[in-house]
Amino acid sequence: MMKMKRKIGSQIMASILVNSIYAMINYPVVLINTLLAPLAILAVVTFASKGTLLPVAAVGALIMNMVSSGTSLQQDLSHLKNDMRLQDMIVSSPTSSFIYIIGMAISEIVYSIPTLAFLIILNIIFVKITFLGAFILFLDMATIFTFSISLGFFLSTFTSDIIQSWGFSGILSPLLTTIPPVYYPINYIPYPFRYLAYLSPTTYASEIAQSQTGYYALSASGFATAWLVLIAITAVLTYLALKRSRWREI
Amino acid sequence: MRIRAEELSKTYDRKHRALDSLSIDINMNGIFSVIGRNGAGKTTFVRIMSTELLPTSGRGYINEMDVVDQADAVRQDIAVVPQEARPLPWLTPLQTVSSYLMWRGYSYREANEKGKDALRELGLEGKENEKSRKLSGGQKRKLMAATVISSEAHIVFLDEPTTGLDYLSRKELWQLLSRMKKDRLIILTTHYLEEAEILGDQIMILDHGKLVDLGTIDNLRNKVKLPYVLKVNAENFKLEDDEVQIHPVSEKETFVYGSASKIYGLIPYLVTNKMKFTVEEASLSNIFEQYLGSGEDDENEEEDR
């Protein structure tokens, strides 16, 4: 048997196929699942505000979608690791943990393409934003996505069964998307609760996003601080995912 | 293919020693069977050598590459099916095999071609596009084995691949492994001693994390005190002799374990008394019992490690 040249593209594609494309082809019902969660809160906020918060909520739904990718990834990987023992097979294969994360992260994006498409159309229609603002929004989404994927992967490697994984998701979801001002401006939160909101990185992502859509006035220093905190938290989580996750058991 | 362990040890939670200074050196192609009671250290051995688990101390080598320091290089050469691995229910058998091959670096096209070949080899032709959840237990196990065997890995670890399968399904898997062992080393852990005996070109016996013995079935048989079995079909057969072991199987059948001279010395008595009997070499089960006794599993073990 000849040594074969490893193809990283194939390794990434395998994760995408297994975790999203094959799942969507073989069980189309999962598409509805991914679409419902962000849209449900979007609808509630829009109805409750009589439409005035629709643009904010539309951007918020994008942030929630990015964060949900991480919590979904955490559950998916935990299931594949603990119930199917797939991670053990991957650990002992030429695929590295980094390539596995990349593939699985993209798979979560692929999984939420229908939702993303809908939300992007909604944002184009209802959110007034400059070209530069759209670019900043894109960077904002990419950063919060990196944060959530890193967190999801890191936690998944420590779970020993799916019940524990559900526990993590149950904690992360409200802490990162429901309680922080993702669907409404942060000045809707009274003090001292606003300080608590600043414990969540999604608050900074929301501030950045809302400042670009004109729903929240952020000073230059506030804007820089928000980016600094968001990037710092993301860098720490990415480091933990790559260097401190339990890819190989101890 | 070579696997080597030097004083390999693993302690869980700082108290449970699952593997205890294991030292072996195997250089072969074929099937290397690992047997032992629950908690003997079989799975721990497999997990360390397949780079899934870090040892507490000692060294493990795959083709002279360190499983800790050179894990990335080792992983190019090995593949593993863990004890409780199952095909993902939302994938078809073809998707299962091909995606694993893609994780090993094959292109989509190559992986699909090899996947189809593997499924044909398995007798799963026609089921390649059904969902895996519809396969029988035996077919699922065969699919998992085929997943790694269809790869280019030279050393394949199969941790109890036949547990829970009926005899015919196990036989089908044995045939597959026998065909696939020619140019690779398959490390097979099993609780079925018959399976280890039939398939194993070399057999390793572990107990409480320690190496009990290692060799071919003939090597192991030659080392035990009672390498022959006399099977007597007679009602209430009685014999008093300190140099043999007597195991009544039922009222009508008794097994007598002993040395060749002792067993053949009993034959005139059996013939004179017109008793039916057969003489056989000790099976691996007999040998295993002689090494470890016929006691129960370690009650302190919560899982097979």
Side-chain angles (χ1 to χ4, degrees), chain A residues 153-181:
Chain A
F153 177 73
F154 180 68
L155 290 178
S156 77
T157 63
F158 287 91
T159 58
S160 52
D161 58 63
I162 195 71
I163 303 292
Q164 198 181 14
S165 164
W166 290 340
F168 281 135
S169 293
I171 293 167
L172 288 180
S173 225
L175 282 184
L176 293 177
T177 56
T178 314
I179 298 170

Side-chain angles (χ1 to χ4, degrees), chain A residues 2-198:
Chain A
M2 288 170 65
K3 289 267 180 194
M4 59 180 300
K5 193 180 171 188
R6 303 294 167 194
K7 293 172 185 163
I8 289 173
S10 290
Q11 294 171 335
I12 291 173
M13 194 61 201
S15 299
I16 298 169
L17 285 170
V18 167
N19 202 44
S20 57
I21 294 175
Y22 289 152
M24 289 192 289
I25 291 171
N26 295 341
Y27 292 131
V29 70
V30 298
L31 289 171
I32 300 169
N33 172 42
T34 60
L35 199 62
L36 270 184
L39 296 189
I41 304 179
L42 174 71
V44 169
V45 173
T46 306
F47 297 150
S49 67
K50 295 182 178 169
T52 56
L53 287 180
L54 173 62
V56 185
V59 176
L62 271 177
I63 294 175
M64 176 166 178
N65 196 262
M66 295 295 114
V67 177
S68 296
S69 295
T71 48
S72 299
L73 182 78
Q74 191 266 130
Q75 283 190 339
D76 291 346
L77 293 185
S78 180
H79 175 56
L80 294 175
K81 170 180 174 251
N82 299 309
D83 301 331
M84 299 295 161
R85 299 279 162 197
L86 180 72
Q87 186 172 307
D88 285 345
M89 293 178 73
I90 305 297
V91 169
S92 301
S93 81
T95 296
S96 67
S97 60
F98 178 69
I99 295 300
Y100 188 58
I101 303 177
I102 296 286
M104 286 296 176
I106 297 173
S107 81
E108 295 295 338
I109 289 282
V110 171
Y111 208 78
S112 57
I113 280 177
T115 316
L116 279 175
F118 180 80
L119 290 175
I120 288 169
I121 291 168
L122 206 64
N123 274 273
I124 290 169
I125 296 170
F126 293 103
V127 178
K128 287 174 186 167
I129 194 166
T130 62
F131 182 75
L132 177 65
F135 180 66
I136 290 170
L137 198 60
F138 171 77
L139 291 181
D140 191 27
M141 296 299 147
T143 311
I144 201 72
F145 177 72
T146 308
F147 157 79
S148 73
I149 289 293
S150 301
L151 179 65
F153 177 73
F154 180 68
L155 290 178
S156 77
T157 63
F158 287 91
T159 58
S160 52
D161 58 63
I162 195 71
I163 303 292
Q164 198 181 14
S165 164
W166 290 340
F168 281 135
S169 293
I171 293 167
L172 288 180
S173 225
L175 282 184
L176 293 177
T177 56
T178 314
I179 298 170
V182 170
Y183 284 91
Y184 47 86
I186 189 161
N187 48 19
Y188 276 41
I189 304 177
Y191 286 106
F193 299 107
R194 202 179 291 185
Y195 294 120
L196 286 176
Y198 280 112

Side-chain angles (χ1 to χ4, degrees), chain A residues 6 26 83 91-92 95 248, chain B residues 50 67 76 90 103-104:
Chain A
R6 303 294 167 194
N26 295 341
D83 301 331
V91 169
S92 301
T95 296
R248 188 178 195 180
Chain B
S50 62
V67 296
Q76 308 291 323
W90 63 89
W103 268 311
R104 293 201 69 89

Side-chain angles (χ1 to χ4, degrees), chain B residues 8-271:
Chain B
L8 201 60
S9 296
K10 180 68 189 179
T11 305
Y12 291 105
D13 305 325
R14 296 184 179 179
K15 54 186 177 189
H16 173 68
R17 207 163 172 80
L19 210 55
D20 193 353
S21 301
L22 179 73
S23 293
I24 58 166
D25 191 351
I26 302 295
N27 198 348
M28 60 179 276
N29 278 1
I31 296 179
F32 179 61
S33 299
V34 183
I35 59 172
R37 291 187 278 206
N38 285 333
K42 303 183 296 293
T43 296
T44 300
F45 169 71
V46 164
R47 298 193 75 210
I48 291 175
M49 297 307 288
S50 62
T51 76
E52 286 171 45
L53 178 70
L54 290 170
T56 307
S57 62
R59 294 274 179 186
Y61 300 93
I62 296 282
N63 287 338
E64 291 305 297
M65 292 177 286
D66 191 303
V67 296
V68 175
D69 297 338
Q70 295 168 284
D72 288 344
V74 169
R75 288 166 183 157
Q76 308 291 323
D77 255 358
I78 63 167
V80 63
V81 179
Q83 199 175 107
E84 291 155 0
R86 287 177 282 158
L88 304 181
W90 63 89
L91 300 191
T92 67
L94 181 58
Q95 290 166 348
T96 301
V97 179
S98 65
S99 56
Y100 178 76
L101 292 176
M102 288 174 72
W103 268 311
R104 293 201 69 89
Y106 288 87
S107 70
Y108 179 80
R109 192 177 54 79
E110 288 169 332
N112 266 287
E113 282 171 11
K114 281 188 83 73
K116 281 177 188 165
D117 290 344
L119 295 174
R120 199 175 305 120
E121 182 93 30
L122 270 174
L124 285 175
E125 218 174 352
K127 289 186 182 279
E128 58 205 28
N129 294 319
E130 283 187 15
K131 289 193 183 86
S132 295
R133 64 184 164 83
K134 291 183 179 171
L135 300 178
S136 69
Q139 287 170 330
K140 285 177 185 169
R141 292 281 184 166
K142 281 198 293 184
L143 175 58
M144 292 313 292
T147 297
V148 291
I149 285 171
S150 61
S151 77
E152 80 301 350
H154 295 108
I155 297 181
V156 173
F157 295 87
L158 301 175
D159 195 3
E160 297 186 20
T162 58
T163 298
L165 296 187
D166 62 64
Y167 180 72
L168 291 177
S169 298
R170 278 163 54 207
K171 259 182 88 173
E172 284 176 16
L173 193 55
W174 296 349
Q175 287 162 0
L176 174 73
L177 297 181
S178 298
R179 285 199 300 273
M180 300 299 171
K181 72 177 189 177
K182 286 170 193 159
D183 49 1
R184 48 163 61 99
L185 170 58
I186 298 174
I187 292 114
L188 172 84
T189 76
T190 181
H191 277 297
Y192 299 111
L193 301 178
E194 177 199 18
E195 178 173 292
E197 181 172 352
I198 291 169
L199 294 177
D201 297 297
Q202 295 267 337
I203 299 163
M204 175 165 76
I205 304 173
L206 292 178
D207 193 39
H208 291 98
K210 290 179 189 273
L211 175 67
V212 175
D213 212 337
L214 185 160
T216 64
I217 181 72
D218 289 333
N219 294 150
L220 297 176
R221 193 179 285 124
N222 289 336
K223 288 180 190 174
V224 293
K225 284 184 189 169
L226 313 169
Y228 285 87
V229 188
L230 175 68
K231 295 181 177 178
V232 183
N233 291 97
E235 288 196 14
N236 299 315
F237 175 77
K238 302 271 188 229
L239 182 70
E240 286 189 11
D241 190 328
D242 291 343
E243 293 178 43
V244 295
Q245 272 185 16
I246 299 168
H247 292 269
V249 178
S250 67
E251 284 185 358
K252 292 181 179 175
E253 189 173 34
T254 304
F255 288 2
V256 181
Y257 299 105
S259 63
S261 60
K262 206 68 201 171
I263 294 297
Y264 283 104
L266 289 170
I267 291 175
Y269 169 78
L270 298 172
V271 172

